[in-house]
Amino acid sequence: MSDIDVLKRELLLRRLKGRVTPKVEKPREDLIERLDDKARAGRLPLSWSQQRLWFLEQMNDLGSAYHVKGALRLSGELDERALKRALDRIVFRHESLRTVFVRPEGETEPRQEVKEASSFELRRVDLSAEPEGGREEAVSRVLEEEGQRHFDLEKGPLIRGVLVKLGSAEHLLWISMHHIVSDGWSVGVFMKEVASLYEAYVHDREDPLEELPIQYVDYAQWQRRWLTKERLAEQLTFWKQELKGAPALLELPTDHPRPAVQSYAGATVDVELSEELTQGLNGLARRHGVTLFMVLQAGWSLLLSRLSGQDDVVIGTPVANRGRSELEGLIGFFVNTLALRTRLDPEQTVSELLAVVRDRTLAAYGHQDVPFEQVVEVVRPERSLAHSAVFQVMLALQN
């Protein structure tokens, strides 16, 4: 899940200010340092995001709601030995993929434990004998079954895969990870490393990837230290003011009554924007000094406002939360969620609406470090088992 506006934001700010901000040396407390062996053998705390998801898993049967998935079509002769070696290497390379989450007896808080490297769990399914007309349906059944398999956070592993043989020179590699050790950005990292390692191993070359400077447990430890009471208080004050008086529920006209307890059951509907419309949206963004995401957010807010009859709309959006270069190549749970609020006025022009959306979005990006669950705690929205707190609709722009 990759919100490229996190990257675009700096370019936009520089353009608005008309200058390039000089690079500032990071203070010591801002450095993410690799833990020594003694610290790694001790109690390893969860990151804030991991802790939220761990508690959710203890309270509810979430099924596959927090499974992160990715797939690769592999065309041509496949060297399964090289592929398996590449997958094993990635598990060894990223400690997050061999991490489990335990709460020892007598303790109230969970902790991370990094296991020794083990073989990647890869299941093989041969569908090459299936009739061509029913092969895709057979693939869907296999992946549906795989997607419903439970992850055990305490025992692991929290990553697995299926290699589906479709023909002599056609395969599908399906990867599934629990969200507590991964996110959308991580899927991209994983697939890129699979490709690089497979290419090297097919030709009997060594691992071409550079050593990772830090691991996820280093980040989690640093986050706990860096996000001090003062930093938290400043960011939480912003969100408390930003979401003060926001509606608890977006009253969309649905064809069925909302259940008393949300089920997490859903489906996908594809809508394709034409090339002409896409170019028009990009042109509109350039003319008004905003990003494509901001244009889409403004239009989405306006549509939801008209459907609901409400002039105050809150939309959730994921942010990669990887503003530091040493985090870009890590597989782990970094993504955070922002609540973007838009107050709409029927007298507003398009230009005025985009300006409001731009200002509020940049302000939200400037306060993205605080975990969303802490925002919910300080805002204290009306709670209900029937819908999520703060917002019920999200917008994510994938690159």
Side-chain angles (χ1 to χ4, degrees), residues 21 30 65 88 125 191 196 204 207 211 217 256 280 296 311 340 348 354 386 391 395:
T21 305
D30 209 28
D88 288 345
V125 177
M191 295 304 182
S196 296
D204 292 320
D207 178 354
E211 184 180 353
V217 292
H256 295 283
L296 296 174
D311 59 7
L340 304 179
Q348 271 179 327
L354 289 174
F391 59 82
L395 175 65

Side-chain angles (χ1 to χ4, degrees), residues 138-187:
V139 170
S140 297
R141 287 197 302 269
V142 169
L143 299 187
E144 177 67 22
E145 175 190 333
E146 181 66 22
Q148 296 304 318
R149 287 178 59 199
H150 178 69
F151 279 112
D152 189 326
L153 299 188
E154 190 167 336
K155 296 180 179 178
L158 301 182
I159 181 173
R160 58 176 175 254
V162 180
L163 181 64
V164 183
K165 184 176 181 179
L166 303 173
S168 59
E170 194 72 24
H171 294 77
L172 176 70
L173 176 64
W174 174 265
I175 301 297
S176 182
M177 299 177 270
H178 196 285
H179 201 355
I180 202 168
V181 296
S182 182
D183 55 19
W185 182 300
S186 298
V187 174

Side-chain angles (χ1 to χ4, degrees), residues 39 100 118 146 198 233 241 260:
V100 294
S118 59
E146 181 66 22
Y198 178 78
Q241 186 61 38

Side-chain angles (χ1 to χ4, degrees), residues 285-351:
R286 287 193 297 270
R287 290 195 301 274
H288 290 273
V290 298
T291 64
L292 176 60
F293 173 81
M294 294 173 186
V295 171
L296 296 174
Q297 182 201 337
W300 187 223
S301 299
L302 185 58
L303 175 62
L304 294 174
S305 173
R306 292 186 175 181
L307 289 173
S308 65
Q310 297 168 262
D311 59 7
D312 195 350
V313 175
V314 182
I315 296 174
T317 189
V319 286
N321 201 25
R322 296 176 185 245
R324 309 170 61 88
S325 60
E326 61 265 49
L327 303 180
E328 292 178 3
L330 278 182
I331 292 174
F333 186 9
F334 295 95
V335 67
N336 196 13
T337 303
L338 303 182
L340 304 179
R341 184 179 186 180
T342 304
R343 297 178 177 87
L344 295 115
D345 183 340
E347 303 300 322
Q348 271 179 327
T349 64
V350 171
S351 179

Side-chain angles (χ1 to χ4, degrees), residues 72 83 86-87 90 173 190-198:
L72 276 178
L83 177 61
L87 295 171
I90 292 175
L173 176 64
F190 187 94
M191 295 304 182
K192 182 179 179 181
E193 291 191 355
V194 166
S196 296
L197 290 167
Y198 178 78

Side-chain angles (χ1 to χ4, degrees), residues 197-241:
L197 290 167
Y198 178 78
E199 174 69 17
Y201 293 156
V202 162
H203 296 95
D204 292 320
R205 296 196 298 265
E206 294 300 314
D207 178 354
L209 302 176
E210 294 183 5
E211 184 180 353
L212 294 171
I214 60 171
Q215 293 285 343
Y216 190 87
V217 292
D218 304 316
Y219 162 77
Q221 189 88 301
W222 168 84
Q223 186 193 48
R224 295 278 180 165
R225 184 182 71 250
W226 183 81
L227 209 53
T228 60
K229 290 183 179 180
E230 292 76 17
R231 286 192 175 98
L232 268 178
E234 187 273 326
Q235 296 213 10
L236 289 173
T237 297
F238 166 82
W239 287 111
K240 189 173 182 179
Q241 186 61 38

